[in-house]
PDB file of all heavy atoms in Angstrom:
ATOM      1  N   SER A   1      18.020  -3.414   3.273  1.00  0.00           N
ATOM      2  CA  SER A   1      16.967  -3.283   4.294  1.00  0.00           C
ATOM      3  C   SER A   1      15.810  -2.423   3.783  1.00  0.00           C
ATOM      4  O   SER A   1      14.681  -2.781   3.975  1.00  0.00           O
ATOM      5  CB  SER A   1      17.445  -2.877   5.662  1.00  0.00           C
ATOM      6  OG  SER A   1      18.053  -3.987   6.385  1.00  0.00           O
ATOM      7  N   ILE A   2      16.164  -1.315   3.400  1.00  0.00           N
ATOM      8  CA  ILE A   2      15.218  -0.288   2.873  1.00  0.00           C
ATOM      9  C   ILE A   2      15.917   0.572   1.878  1.00  0.00           C
ATOM     10  O   ILE A   2      17.117   0.877   2.068  1.00  0.00           O
ATOM     11  CB  ILE A   2      14.607   0.572   4.066  1.00  0.00           C
ATOM     12  CG1 ILE A   2      13.322   1.239   3.549  1.00  0.00           C
ATOM     13  CG2 ILE A   2      15.528   1.623   4.611  1.00  0.00           C
ATOM     14  CD1 ILE A   2      12.114   0.573   3.940  1.00  0.00           C
ATOM     15  N   GLY A   3      15.286   0.955   0.878  1.00  0.00           N
ATOM     16  CA  GLY A   3      15.845   1.802  -0.180  1.00  0.00           C
ATOM     17  C   GLY A   3      14.785   2.270  -1.173  1.00  0.00           C
ATOM     18  O   GLY A   3      13.572   1.943  -0.986  1.00  0.00           O
ATOM     19  N   PRO A   4      15.123   2.929  -2.239  1.00  0.00           N
ATOM     20  CA  PRO A   4      14.131   3.455  -3.275  1.00  0.00           C
ATOM     21  C   PRO A   4      13.263   2.270  -3.743  1.00  0.00           C
ATOM     22  O   PRO A   4      12.078   2.460  -3.998  1.00  0.00           O
ATOM     23  CB  PRO A   4      14.990   4.075  -4.405  1.00  0.00           C
ATOM     24  CG  PRO A   4      16.177   4.438  -3.666  1.00  0.00           C
ATOM     25  CD  PRO A   4      16.499   3.441  -2.558  1.00  0.00           C
ATOM     26  N   TRP A   5      13.928   1.179  -4.009  1.00  0.00           N
ATOM     27  CA  TRP A   5      13.091  -0.055  -4.559  1.00  0.00           C
ATOM     28  C   TRP A   5      12.096  -0.437  -3.606  1.00  0.00           C
ATOM     29  O   TRP A   5      10.874  -0.660  -4.030  1.00  0.00           O
ATOM     30  CB  TRP A   5      14.072  -1.108  -4.863  1.00  0.00           C
ATOM     31  CG  TRP A   5      13.464  -2.358  -5.531  1.00  0.00           C
ATOM     32  CD1 TRP A   5      13.145  -2.626  -6.823  1.00  0.00           C
ATOM     33  CD2 TRP A   5      13.211  -3.596  -4.764  1.00  0.00           C
ATOM     34  NE1 TRP A   5      12.644  -3.865  -6.961  1.00  0.00           N
ATOM     35  CE2 TRP A   5      12.683  -4.495  -5.740  1.00  0.00           C
ATOM     36  CE3 TRP A   5      13.363  -3.990  -3.428  1.00  0.00           C
ATOM     37  CZ2 TRP A   5      12.212  -5.780  -5.494  1.00  0.00           C
ATOM     38  CZ3 TRP A   5      12.883  -5.323  -3.157  1.00  0.00           C
ATOM     39  CH2 TRP A   5      12.394  -6.204  -4.115  1.00  0.00           C
ATOM     40  N   HIS A   6      12.496  -0.565  -2.347  1.00  0.00           N
ATOM     41  CA  HIS A   6      11.485  -0.970  -1.306  1.00  0.00           C
ATOM     42  C   HIS A   6      10.304   0.038  -1.266  1.00  0.00           C
ATOM     43  O   HIS A   6       9.104  -0.253  -1.012  1.00  0.00           O
ATOM     44  CB  HIS A   6      12.149  -1.077   0.045  1.00  0.00           C
ATOM     45  CG  HIS A   6      13.121  -2.195   0.142  1.00  0.00           C
ATOM     46  ND1 HIS A   6      14.413  -1.936  -0.118  1.00  0.00           N
ATOM     47  CD2 HIS A   6      13.017  -3.469   0.494  1.00  0.00           C
ATOM     48  CE1 HIS A   6      15.162  -3.028  -0.013  1.00  0.00           C
ATOM     49  NE2 HIS A   6      14.262  -3.989   0.385  1.00  0.00           N
ATOM     50  N   ILE A   7      10.742   1.286  -1.148  1.00  0.00           N
ATOM     51  CA  ILE A   7       9.713   2.406  -0.908  1.00  0.00           C
ATOM     52  C   ILE A   7       8.625   2.454  -2.014  1.00  0.00           C
ATOM     53  O   ILE A   7       7.451   2.587  -1.666  1.00  0.00           O
ATOM     54  CB  ILE A   7      10.445   3.720  -0.691  1.00  0.00           C
ATOM     55  CG1 ILE A   7      11.193   3.710   0.678  1.00  0.00           C
ATOM     56  CG2 ILE A   7       9.459   4.885  -0.691  1.00  0.00           C
ATOM     57  CD1 ILE A   7      12.298   4.792   0.817  1.00  0.00           C
ATOM     58  N   ILE A   8       9.106   2.318  -3.217  1.00  0.00           N
ATOM     59  CA  ILE A   8       8.150   2.330  -4.397  1.00  0.00           C
ATOM     60  C   ILE A   8       7.126   1.245  -4.203  1.00  0.00           C
ATOM     61  O   ILE A   8       5.922   1.442  -4.305  1.00  0.00           O
ATOM     62  CB  ILE A   8       8.866   2.311  -5.742  1.00  0.00           C
ATOM     63  CG1 ILE A   8       9.595   3.589  -5.927  1.00  0.00           C
ATOM     64  CG2 ILE A   8       7.940   1.986  -6.884  1.00  0.00           C
ATOM     65  CD1 ILE A   8      10.624   3.527  -7.112  1.00  0.00           C
ATOM     66  N   ILE A   9       7.623   0.001  -3.916  1.00  0.00           N
ATOM     67  CA  ILE A   9       6.788  -1.144  -3.772  1.00  0.00           C
ATOM     68  C   ILE A   9       5.833  -0.976  -2.548  1.00  0.00           C
ATOM     69  O   ILE A   9       4.673  -1.232  -2.645  1.00  0.00           O
ATOM     70  CB  ILE A   9       7.551  -2.504  -3.694  1.00  0.00           C
ATOM     71  CG1 ILE A   9       8.351  -2.695  -4.994  1.00  0.00           C
ATOM     72  CG2 ILE A   9       6.682  -3.663  -3.358  1.00  0.00           C
ATOM     73  CD1 ILE A   9       9.404  -3.746  -4.928  1.00  0.00           C
ATOM     74  N   ALA A  10       6.404  -0.480  -1.478  1.00  0.00           N
ATOM     75  CA  ALA A  10       5.702  -0.354  -0.128  1.00  0.00           C
ATOM     76  C   ALA A  10       4.492   0.660  -0.405  1.00  0.00           C
ATOM     77  O   ALA A  10       3.428   0.373   0.045  1.00  0.00           O
ATOM     78  CB  ALA A  10       6.556   0.084   0.952  1.00  0.00           C
ATOM     79  N   VAL A  11       4.816   1.793  -1.071  1.00  0.00           N
ATOM     80  CA  VAL A  11       3.805   2.849  -1.185  1.00  0.00           C
ATOM     81  C   VAL A  11       2.690   2.248  -2.160  1.00  0.00           C
ATOM     82  O   VAL A  11       1.471   2.371  -1.935  1.00  0.00           O
ATOM     83  CB  VAL A  11       4.448   4.082  -1.798  1.00  0.00           C
ATOM     84  CG1 VAL A  11       3.334   5.056  -2.211  1.00  0.00           C
ATOM     85  CG2 VAL A  11       5.278   4.709  -0.755  1.00  0.00           C
ATOM     86  N   ALA A  12       3.109   1.508  -3.206  1.00  0.00           N
ATOM     87  CA  ALA A  12       2.145   1.033  -4.171  1.00  0.00           C
ATOM     88  C   ALA A  12       1.238   0.003  -3.546  1.00  0.00           C
ATOM     89  O   ALA A  12       0.033   0.181  -3.669  1.00  0.00           O
ATOM     90  CB  ALA A  12       2.926   0.370  -5.394  1.00  0.00           C
ATOM     91  N   ILE A  13       1.794  -0.873  -2.835  1.00  0.00           N
ATOM     92  CA  ILE A  13       0.918  -1.986  -2.277  1.00  0.00           C
ATOM     93  C   ILE A  13       0.082  -1.565  -1.112  1.00  0.00           C
ATOM     94  O   ILE A  13      -0.891  -2.128  -0.743  1.00  0.00           O
ATOM     95  CB  ILE A  13       1.638  -3.408  -2.028  1.00  0.00           C
ATOM     96  CG1 ILE A  13       2.782  -3.175  -0.988  1.00  0.00           C
ATOM     97  CG2 ILE A  13       1.921  -4.108  -3.201  1.00  0.00           C
ATOM     98  CD1 ILE A  13       3.415  -4.534  -0.613  1.00  0.00           C
ATOM     99  N   SER A  14       0.549  -0.464  -0.430  1.00  0.00           N
ATOM    100  CA  SER A  14      -0.235   0.057   0.676  1.00  0.00           C
ATOM    101  C   SER A  14      -1.556   0.617   0.248  1.00  0.00           C
ATOM    102  O   SER A  14      -2.553   0.797   0.909  1.00  0.00           O
ATOM    103  CB  SER A  14       0.538   1.117   1.456  1.00  0.00           C
ATOM    104  OG  SER A  14       0.709   2.307   0.726  1.00  0.00           O
ATOM    105  N   LEU A  15      -1.714   1.018  -1.135  1.00  0.00           N
ATOM    106  CA  LEU A  15      -2.883   1.567  -1.697  1.00  0.00           C
ATOM    107  C   LEU A  15      -4.087   0.643  -1.693  1.00  0.00           C
ATOM    108  O   LEU A  15      -5.188   1.067  -1.686  1.00  0.00           O
ATOM    109  CB  LEU A  15      -2.695   2.017  -3.137  1.00  0.00           C
ATOM    110  CG  LEU A  15      -1.572   3.146  -3.316  1.00  0.00           C
ATOM    111  CD1 LEU A  15      -1.474   3.479  -4.833  1.00  0.00           C
ATOM    112  CD2 LEU A  15      -1.884   4.433  -2.530  1.00  0.00           C
ATOM    113  N   VAL A  16      -3.749  -0.692  -1.575  1.00  0.00           N
ATOM    114  CA  VAL A  16      -4.862  -1.676  -1.460  1.00  0.00           C
ATOM    115  C   VAL A  16      -5.714  -1.479  -0.220  1.00  0.00           C
ATOM    116  O   VAL A  16      -6.800  -1.882  -0.080  1.00  0.00           O
ATOM    117  CB  VAL A  16      -4.384  -3.156  -1.439  1.00  0.00           C
ATOM    118  CG1 VAL A  16      -3.569  -3.535  -2.687  1.00  0.00           C
ATOM    119  CG2 VAL A  16      -3.656  -3.580  -0.229  1.00  0.00           C
ATOM    120  N   LYS A  17      -5.056  -0.742   0.818  1.00  0.00           N
ATOM    121  CA  LYS A  17      -5.785  -0.610   2.049  1.00  0.00           C
ATOM    122  C   LYS A  17      -6.947   0.461   1.950  1.00  0.00           C
ATOM    123  O   LYS A  17      -7.741   0.496   2.797  1.00  0.00           O
ATOM    124  CB  LYS A  17      -4.780  -0.132   3.197  1.00  0.00           C
ATOM    125  CG  LYS A  17      -3.692  -1.204   3.496  1.00  0.00           C
ATOM    126  CD  LYS A  17      -4.258  -2.367   4.207  1.00  0.00           C
ATOM    127  CE  LYS A  17      -4.185  -2.168   5.630  1.00  0.00           C
ATOM    128  NZ  LYS A  17      -4.600  -3.368   6.384  1.00  0.00           N
ATOM    129  N   PHE A  18      -6.883   1.298   0.898  1.00  0.00           N
ATOM    130  CA  PHE A  18      -7.995   2.242   0.718  1.00  0.00           C
ATOM    131  C   PHE A  18      -9.313   1.392   0.468  1.00  0.00           C
ATOM    132  O   PHE A  18     -10.239   1.600   1.194  1.00  0.00           O
ATOM    133  CB  PHE A  18      -7.738   3.181  -0.490  1.00  0.00           C
ATOM    134  CG  PHE A  18      -6.853   4.422  -0.056  1.00  0.00           C
ATOM    135  CD1 PHE A  18      -5.564   4.332  -0.544  1.00  0.00           C
ATOM    136  CD2 PHE A  18      -7.291   5.313   0.723  1.00  0.00           C
ATOM    137  CE1 PHE A  18      -4.726   5.386  -0.131  1.00  0.00           C
ATOM    138  CE2 PHE A  18      -6.458   6.447   1.107  1.00  0.00           C
ATOM    139  CZ  PHE A  18      -5.128   6.459   0.656  1.00  0.00           C
ATOM    140  N   PRO A  19      -9.389   0.507  -0.526  1.00  0.00           N
ATOM    141  CA  PRO A  19     -10.657  -0.223  -0.807  1.00  0.00           C
ATOM    142  C   PRO A  19     -10.951  -1.151   0.358  1.00  0.00           C
ATOM    143  O   PRO A  19     -12.095  -1.380   0.640  1.00  0.00           O
ATOM    144  CB  PRO A  19     -10.285  -1.090  -2.068  1.00  0.00           C
ATOM    145  CG  PRO A  19      -9.152  -0.257  -2.686  1.00  0.00           C
ATOM    146  CD  PRO A  19      -8.378   0.333  -1.639  1.00  0.00           C
ATOM    147  N   VAL A  20      -9.968  -1.607   1.075  1.00  0.00           N
ATOM    148  CA  VAL A  20     -10.163  -2.421   2.293  1.00  0.00           C
ATOM    149  C   VAL A  20     -11.008  -1.674   3.341  1.00  0.00           C
ATOM    150  O   VAL A  20     -12.014  -2.205   3.777  1.00  0.00           O
ATOM    151  CB  VAL A  20      -8.771  -2.881   2.950  1.00  0.00           C
ATOM    152  CG1 VAL A  20      -9.086  -3.507   4.285  1.00  0.00           C
ATOM    153  CG2 VAL A  20      -8.123  -3.958   2.014  1.00  0.00           C
ATOM    154  N   ALA A  21     -10.621  -0.434   3.525  1.00  0.00           N
ATOM    155  CA  ALA A  21     -11.285   0.451   4.487  1.00  0.00           C
ATOM    156  C   ALA A  21     -12.780   0.753   3.952  1.00  0.00           C
ATOM    157  O   ALA A  21     -13.708   0.582   4.697  1.00  0.00           O
ATOM    158  CB  ALA A  21     -10.596   1.671   4.818  1.00  0.00           C
ATOM    159  N   TRP A  22     -12.775   1.167   2.676  1.00  0.00           N
ATOM    160  CA  TRP A  22     -14.088   1.534   2.117  1.00  0.00           C
ATOM    161  C   TRP A  22     -15.099   0.389   2.166  1.00  0.00           C
ATOM    162  O   TRP A  22     -16.277   0.526   2.585  1.00  0.00           O
ATOM    163  CB  TRP A  22     -13.901   1.914   0.640  1.00  0.00           C
ATOM    164  CG  TRP A  22     -13.053   3.113   0.464  1.00  0.00           C
ATOM    165  CD1 TRP A  22     -12.863   4.142   1.408  1.00  0.00           C
ATOM    166  CD2 TRP A  22     -12.340   3.538  -0.669  1.00  0.00           C
ATOM    167  NE1 TRP A  22     -12.042   5.069   0.904  1.00  0.00           N
ATOM    168  CE2 TRP A  22     -11.663   4.749  -0.414  1.00  0.00           C
ATOM    169  CE3 TRP A  22     -12.085   2.930  -1.995  1.00  0.00           C
ATOM    170  CZ2 TRP A  22     -10.890   5.431  -1.333  1.00  0.00           C
ATOM    171  CZ3 TRP A  22     -11.235   3.584  -2.764  1.00  0.00           C
ATOM    172  CH2 TRP A  22     -10.691   4.785  -2.483  1.00  0.00           C
ATOM    173  N   HIS A  23     -14.703  -0.873   1.812  1.00  0.00           N
ATOM    174  CA  HIS A  23     -15.580  -2.006   1.762  1.00  0.00           C
ATOM    175  C   HIS A  23     -15.861  -2.495   3.145  1.00  0.00           C
ATOM    176  O   HIS A  23     -17.123  -2.791   3.528  1.00  0.00           O
ATOM    177  CB  HIS A  23     -14.964  -3.152   0.976  1.00  0.00           C
ATOM    178  CG  HIS A  23     -14.991  -2.837  -0.517  1.00  0.00           C
ATOM    179  ND1 HIS A  23     -16.281  -2.862  -1.204  1.00  0.00           N
ATOM    180  CD2 HIS A  23     -14.103  -2.586  -1.452  1.00  0.00           C
ATOM    181  CE1 HIS A  23     -15.983  -2.540  -2.513  1.00  0.00           C
ATOM    182  NE2 HIS A  23     -14.681  -2.333  -2.646  1.00  0.00           N
ATOM    183  N   GLN A  24     -14.901  -2.560   4.046  1.00  0.00           N
ATOM    184  CA  GLN A  24     -15.174  -3.077   5.381  1.00  0.00           C
ATOM    185  C   GLN A  24     -16.035  -2.269   6.218  1.00  0.00           C
ATOM    186  O   GLN A  24     -16.721  -2.724   7.106  1.00  0.00           O
ATOM    187  CB  GLN A  24     -13.787  -3.356   6.147  1.00  0.00           C
ATOM    188  CG  GLN A  24     -13.106  -4.637   5.688  1.00  0.00           C
ATOM    189  CD  GLN A  24     -11.974  -5.085   6.718  1.00  0.00           C
ATOM    190  OE1 GLN A  24     -11.435  -4.197   7.395  1.00  0.00           O
ATOM    191  NE2 GLN A  24     -11.766  -6.269   6.819  1.00  0.00           N
ATOM    192  N   LEU A  25     -15.887  -0.956   6.055  1.00  0.00           N
ATOM    193  CA  LEU A  25     -16.612  -0.043   6.929  1.00  0.00           C
ATOM    194  C   LEU A  25     -17.786   0.688   6.200  1.00  0.00           C
ATOM    195  O   LEU A  25     -18.266   1.650   6.673  1.00  0.00           O
ATOM    196  CB  LEU A  25     -15.605   1.103   7.391  1.00  0.00           C
ATOM    197  CG  LEU A  25     -14.436   0.593   8.234  1.00  0.00           C
ATOM    198  CD1 LEU A  25     -13.384   1.624   8.329  1.00  0.00           C
ATOM    199  CD2 LEU A  25     -14.774   0.091   9.553  1.00  0.00           C
TER     200      LEU A  25
END
């Protein structure tokens, strides 16, 4: 359900939200 493998991927792909905020706002 959740583990080190999930957390690494989740943290990595959540970084796309920085440019999303920068560009949208």
